[in-house]
Amino acid sequence: MILIDGKKEAELLRQELKKEVSDLKEKYNRVPGLTVILIGDLAPSKIYVRNKEKFANEVGLKSDIIRYSESIEEKVVLDKIDELNKNATVSGILVQLPLPKHIDKKKIIEAINPLKDVDGFHPMNVGNLSSGYESSIPCTPMGCYLLIKKIEPNLSGKKAVVVGRSNLNGKPMTQLLLKENCTVTITHSKTKDLKAECLKADIIVAAVGIPELVKGDWVKKDTIVIDVGINKTDKGIVGDVAFDEVSKNAKALTPVPGGVGPMTIACLLKNTIDCFKRSQI
Ligand code: GUN
């Protein structure tokens, strides 16, 4: 079984990006800039945002964090997004999710200029991705996609099962695999006989948020299994895949932590650079 080392792959991607930022600096005399808006003080969000800043600095991007208290008015955030949209030194804008209840997520996402939408959540980017046009691609599925391609460069005709249908992961993951000519089945927590669906798969991407849902006998030999889950349990953080059991069957498997997570942030940096490049044309 191949244990997919997301930390190593993310490090390799960041090295490439660092070189690219340095070339862009030479060419344009400025570097791409990422601005993150963090509202409230949820611990996981604070950790993500700190890591985003650390790695953005490591590859040489300009990085800013704007922090608001949990009770901030929606209008203040919308006005700030408007200001960032107009600021030429800002290449990418990310509003960390989840948001407090009184703030309308849809309004916030739609306020971001689609050309600066490093999350790929704006309906224009979602539409472009599903139509097969150039777009920002959500970071987590892009990270999963790059890890799968490392193991299996030719995905044409492969059977892929995506477990989970979220806008953040499941749906964009499906689009990326379709683009590679996979036959994709989207499943979720209400799917009848999930085991039977998974047993047909050459590739499984588990992004459903249920601890250790995918069991060893759900996975046939030679399947690539990507675990997007991060679930807090009594025994610590576990993924959506029962790691010990599945590792006995799968051809390749991502660990949690150290699998998809590090790739997500590296892909965010890549999206920021890509937004900068598109804005220079
Ligand atoms: N919260 C958890 N993951 C993400 C993500 O990919 N983007 C944003 N904006 N917030 C998140």
Side-chain angles (χ1 to χ4, degrees), residues 23-265:
D23 291 348
L24 288 170
K25 191 173 178 184
E26 190 131 305
K27 186 164 175 193
Y28 297 106
N29 201 27
R30 61 190 194 91
V31 295
L34 171 66
T35 299
V36 173
I37 298 180
L38 174 62
I39 304 170
D41 57 4
L42 282 178
S45 292
K46 286 203 300 198
I47 296 169
Y48 284 140
V49 169
R50 210 182 307 136
N51 281 328
K52 282 168 189 168
E53 187 177 43
K54 177 180 150 197
F55 290 120
N57 288 332
E58 186 192 294
V59 304
L61 298 178
K62 181 175 168 305
S63 155
D64 290 299
I65 303 176
I66 297 169
R67 293 183 170 84
Y68 292 118
S69 73
E70 166 97 33
S71 60
I72 191 76
E73 271 183 55
E74 182 183 270
K75 169 97 172 53
V76 175
V77 184
L78 290 170
D79 287 348
K80 177 54 77 177
I81 291 172
D82 190 43
E83 182 192 314
L84 297 170
N85 283 339
K86 292 174 181 148
N87 182 342
T89 70
V90 176
S91 321
I93 303 166
L94 180 145
V95 180
Q96 184 68 28
L97 304 176
L99 296 172
K101 281 202 173 57
H102 67 280
I103 297 185
D104 183 341
K105 182 171 79 176
K106 185 169 183 285
K107 254 195 204 168
I108 296 287
I109 289 173
E110 290 180 4
I112 297 171
N113 176 348
L115 298 172
K116 297 191 178 192
D117 168 32
V118 282
D119 266 324
F121 295 164
H122 190 286
M124 195 176 111
N125 284 315
V126 175
N128 277 336
L129 176 63
S130 75
S131 298
Y133 301 131
E134 188 175 356
S135 68
S136 277
I137 296 167
C139 306
T140 302
M142 195 206 294
C144 296
Y145 167 81
L146 294 175
L147 293 176
I148 295 167
K149 289 279 280 186
K150 279 271 165 167
I151 303 294
E152 179 57 70
N154 181 9
L155 299 178
S156 187
K158 299 282 183 201
K159 287 196 172 69
V161 169
V162 177
V163 188
R165 56 178 151 180
S166 70
N167 293 335
L168 262 74
N169 293 307
K171 287 180 197 156
M173 189 72 239
T174 299
Q175 298 297 351
L176 291 173
L177 293 165
L178 268 179
K179 245 176 144 171
E180 289 289 316
N181 300 317
C182 287
T183 303
V184 191
T185 304
I186 311 172
T187 66
H188 45 78
S189 58
K190 306 285 190 301
T191 295
K192 291 207 171 103
D193 208 350
L194 198 50
K195 175 180 174 180
E197 297 299 334
C198 287
L199 274 170
K200 295 177 202 159
D202 303 308
I203 299 157
I204 297 172
V205 180
V208 69
I210 302 175
E212 300 180 318
L213 175 71
V214 177
K215 305 287 187 289
D217 62 355
W218 293 24
V219 176
K220 65 183 172 69
K221 294 259 182 245
D222 286 342
T223 300
I224 300 170
V225 183
I226 305 292
D227 190 352
V228 180
I230 302 176
N231 306 294
K232 246 188 186 169
T233 69
D234 294 343
K235 60 177 195 182
I237 302 281
V238 302
D240 292 351
V241 174
F243 183 89
D244 291 342
E245 292 177 17
V246 171
S247 64
K248 296 195 177 91
N249 275 348
K251 170 179 173 184
L253 173 61
T254 58
V256 176
V260 173
M263 286 300 284
T264 297
I265 295 185

